[in-house]
Amino acid sequence: MSDPEQEPGPAGERGWSLSAAAAGDGVRLELGLPDLDGKPVTAILSLSRAEARAFARTLLAASGDAAERSFPRPAKR
């Protein structure tokens, strides 16, 4: 995993990183956080394909919900 501070775009600006790679019959996800109680932390998730799909759907739903809360629709006139 590369240094998130050196990467352009949102991950570099926030300092965290997320990467995914095929691993056997599933997926390996790595979430890097630069500062958790003063130390960098990398969480590694090894998921089956079904678990990875469920995780992706949940993450997409959460990001959609966050976008709706952050950018509400204008009131109708």
Side-chain angles (χ1 to χ4, degrees):
M1 188 159 42
S2 60
D3 183 282
E5 293 298 328
Q6 302 302 317
E7 295 177 12
E13 292 167 9
R14 290 184 180 89
W16 56 267
S17 65
L18 178 64
S19 64
D25 288 338
V27 177
R28 176 186 166 107
L29 298 176
E30 290 187 20
L31 173 62
L33 302 172
D35 184 7
L36 188 63
D37 274 342
K39 298 179 185 175
V41 174
T42 300
I44 299 172
L45 302 172
S46 295
L47 305 171
S48 69
R49 289 179 187 222
E51 291 170 329
R53 286 186 191 108
F55 182 81
R57 283 192 295 271
T58 302
L59 190 58
L60 183 59
S63 65
D65 183 54
E68 287 291 324
R69 291 172 191 251
S70 298
F71 306 104
R73 294 189 177 110
K76 292 182 181 181
R77 295 180 184 196

